[in-house]
């Protein structure tokens, strides 16, 4: 027969931490008691009692001067307050994942939210969580949650905070969370299931699905062990649940070709070893040595070690990591990254493996302080040196403006970029780069002095040269580009079309008459342009921006006829009259004799550039595309209308015979 052991069998890191803290308390020589069983395993409780750790049921029973150990399932707020009021020394062995739930529900209480807990109502962990709220609702699953929601329609409108018992079954939680999302209008949902528990259950199911029998080891009071047995029974025909090796009856496993074994989170390694020894006597073939497994669980850690663990919890201040040892590992957020702009949840996820560096080991408390940042820094120096040798481009965040340049953080390594290599114009402030991500080339590395120099400009120059080469290779007349306005002059605008600057002459910016390019575009604008002409030898490109498919004269003639009135803009004053824009790209002449109903010395006496005036179109020269306008004719029309006179003949007769002069002035203009 062949036996296959689940990788996560036995103590979870929260239970391991609690037991270790109790052992340390016993070894201190001071009197100490557990407030209730520290974990759900009678063998472990008996072992701790042999070490001198007593047990009481209420805070009032704690002897004077004794330290009190809070169990891994945690306690309610009232218990903590009672212990504090007595001035007792408290050793809080609450699982960090459970402590996080206490923080969540306490904050929800402060915000006036209704706390809903998915879990077993009589479980110590659930009772402790509920004890941090005044009016919690506990539901075992989606059906109980539905019953509470339908009990009072207003429940659906409440501000809810939904959490789960750490050992809840994932499918039950997901169904409950989905129902809450669907039916509640203002809910905050926190997935607080311990991912170590989820992995333990998943591995047990995988084993059960492919083995002929399963052995589940754990205390009868253990909720997570009961769930392991239930999950295995759904997939495997033979499941044996035992607390100790003495309960194992080998005959129940006869003729089973493969046997899987798993253990609850409260099962110590020595009990698993007991089971192993008994099964060895029955000639079972073990896939993984229990001795190896136990060695992993008690291995020591030293400062400077590189270790790999699994993220089990994330709080605003630290990340909890299961290392597979007797220690609880955590990473302070300050040791996760140097980038202040990123969120912790974007860098690490619960259930993911993470490689870290051991900063400090506290064997007394069973805690290891880890750093992702320091390990990354060591690796980053190797990457920096490699980038220098291979002339590769690297990316970093500008963290500060320094004397003569800026400092870029590249995976924890400070890189100095001189002002001349920032790529900024001389007059630009280097502070513009602070808190921005940049790409640069490493030009100098001195690891001994921890000095690294880089150049942003080198990367920009190479990239611009590559883009420019591509533009010149594919450029052709009428080709369209999306470009960026780089600078303005009195005669036009320079536009970057991808590594190459082309010029849009002021006359090509708009069909309207403009005096300066700034009337149409600004530096930094994104514009659509097309190629009018180009000279590869002189590296010059002439661009256009106004839409050539739009014929202004066609627009004008489609909208206006002789005799129509129009509201126009005066664009230029001459000695003989004023030019006015009728539609963009088409101007008409208002002769000086047609500006007013009385004689004037010069157009500027009545009109100013930019002024909007009403005119009458008196003539259209379709062959030469010229238009004559008259303010005077429009005024005279209005006077005739008021006096009862009118008729088109009267308007023509009142032209003073100066229409021929208008035509000659067009030619002069």
């Amino acid at each position: 027969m062949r036996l296959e052991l689940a990788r996560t069998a036995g103590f979870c890191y929260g239970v391991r931490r609690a037991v270790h803290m109790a052992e340390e308390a016993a070894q201190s020589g001071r009197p100490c008691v557990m407030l209730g069983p520290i974990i759900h395993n009678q063998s472990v409780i008996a072992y701790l009692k042999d070490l001198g750790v007593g047990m009481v049921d209420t805070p009032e029973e704690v002897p004077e001067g004794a330290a009190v150990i809070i169990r891994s399932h945690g306690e309610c707020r009232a218990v903590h307050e009672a212990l504090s009021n007595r001035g007792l020394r408290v050793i809080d062995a609450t699982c960090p994942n459970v402590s996080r739930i206490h923080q969540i529900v306490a904050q929800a209480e402060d915000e006036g939210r209704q706390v809903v807990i998915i879990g077993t109502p009589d479980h110590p962990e659930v009772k402790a969580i509920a004890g941090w709220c005044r009016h919690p609702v506990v539901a075992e699953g989606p059906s109980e949650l539905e019953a509470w929601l339908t009990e009072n329609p207003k429940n659906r409108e409440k501000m809810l905070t939904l959490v789960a018992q750490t050992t809840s079954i994932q499918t039950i939680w997901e169904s409950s969370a989905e129902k809450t999302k669907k039916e509640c209008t203002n809910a905050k949902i926190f997935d607080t299931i311990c991912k170590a528990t989820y992995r333990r259950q998943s591995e047990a199911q995988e084993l059960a699905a492919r083995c002929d029998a399963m052995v589940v080891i754990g205390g009868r009071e253990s909720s997570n062990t009961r769930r392991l047995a239930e999950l295995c029974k759904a997939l495997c025909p033979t499941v044996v649940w035992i607390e100790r090796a003495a309960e194992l009856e080998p005959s129940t496993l006869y003729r089973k070709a493969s046997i899987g074994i798993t253990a609850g989170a409260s099962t110590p390694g020595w009990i698993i070893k007991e089971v192993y020894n008994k099964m060895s006597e029955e000639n079972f073939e073990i896939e993984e040595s229990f001795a190896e497994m136990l060695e992993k669980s008690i291995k020591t850690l030293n400062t400077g070690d590189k270790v790999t663990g699994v993220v089990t919890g994330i709080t605003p201040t630290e990340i909890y990591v299961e290392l597979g040892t007797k220690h609880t590992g955590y990473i302070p957020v300050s040791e996760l990254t140097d980038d202040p702009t990123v969120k912790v949840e974007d860098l690490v996820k619960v259930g993911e493996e993470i490689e870290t560096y051991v900063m400090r080991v506290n064997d007394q408390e069973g805690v290891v302080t880890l750093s992702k940042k320091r390990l990354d820094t060591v690796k980053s120096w190797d990457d920096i040196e490699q980038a220098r040798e291979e002339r590769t481009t690297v990316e970093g965040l500008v963290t500060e403006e320094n004397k003569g340049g800026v400092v870029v953080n590249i995976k924890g390594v400070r890189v100095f970029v001189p002002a001349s290599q920032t790529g900024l114009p001389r007059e630009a402030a280097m502070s513009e780069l602070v808190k921005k991500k940049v790409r640069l080339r490493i030009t100098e590395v001195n690891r001994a002095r921890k000095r690294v120099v880089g150049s942003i400009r080198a990367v920009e120059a190479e990239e611009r040269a590559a883009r420019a080469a591509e533009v010149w290779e594919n450029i052709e007349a009428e080709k369209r580009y999306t470009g960026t306005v780089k600078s303005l002059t009195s005669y036009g605008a320079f536009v970057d079309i991808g590594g190459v600057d082309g010029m849009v002459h002021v006359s090509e910016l708009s069909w309207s008459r403009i005096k300066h390019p700034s009337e149409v575009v600004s530096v930094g604008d994104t514009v659509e342009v097309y190629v009018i002409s180009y000279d590869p030898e002189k590296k010059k490109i002439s661009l256009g921006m106004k839409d050539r498919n739009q014929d202004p004269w066609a627009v004008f003639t489609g909208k206006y006829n002789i005799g129509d009135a129009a509201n126009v803009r005066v664009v230029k004053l001459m000695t003989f009259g004023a030019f006015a824009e009728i539609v963009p790209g088409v101007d008409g002449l208002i002769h000086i004799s047609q500006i007013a109903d009385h004689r004037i010395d010069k157009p500027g006496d009545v009109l100013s550039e930019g002024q909007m005036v009403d005119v009458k179109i008196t003539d259209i020269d379709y062959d030469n595309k010229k238009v004559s306008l008259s303010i005077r004719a429009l005024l005279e029309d209005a006077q005739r209308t008021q006096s009862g006179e009118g008729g088109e003949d009267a308007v023509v007769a009142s032209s003073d015979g100066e229409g021929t002069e208008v035509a000659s002035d067009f030619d002069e203009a």
Side-chain angles (χ1 to χ4, degrees), residues 328-342:
T328 298
Y330 76 93
I331 308 171
V333 170
S334 60
E335 290 297 327
L336 186 66
T337 178
D338 272 328
D339 188 347
T341 63
V342 298

Side-chain angles (χ1 to χ4, degrees), residues 80-126:
H80 281 270
E81 291 174 350
L83 295 173
S84 177
N85 291 338
R86 289 193 58 191
L88 297 171
R89 186 168 70 91
V90 175
I91 301 172
D92 192 351
T94 305
C95 171
N97 288 339
V98 177
S99 294
R100 173 174 173 256
I101 304 176
H102 293 175
Q103 295 170 8
I104 291 171
V105 299
Q107 182 179 346
E109 187 79 20
D110 293 340
E111 295 174 353
R113 304 183 69 85
Q114 171 65 60
V115 173
V116 179
I117 306 165
I118 302 300
T120 306
D122 59 352
H123 192 278
E125 178 189 319
V126 175

Side-chain angles (χ1 to χ4, degrees), residues 314-368:
I314 300 173
T315 73
T317 57
E318 56 196 16
I319 297 92
Y320 295 107
V321 180
E322 182 179 356
L323 300 172
T325 71
K326 65 181 180 180
H327 301 89
T328 298
Y330 76 93
I331 308 171
V333 170
S334 60
E335 290 297 327
L336 186 66
T337 178
D338 272 328
D339 188 347
T341 63
V342 298
K343 296 180 179 178
V344 175
E345 292 79 4
D346 293 337
L347 296 178
V348 293
K349 300 284 189 301
V350 172
E352 287 183 346
E353 281 197 350
I354 185 170
E355 189 177 8
T356 61
Y357 174 92
V358 177
M359 291 174 56
R360 190 179 307 107
V361 180
N362 188 328
D363 285 323
Q364 183 174 357
E365 295 184 4
V367 173
V368 178

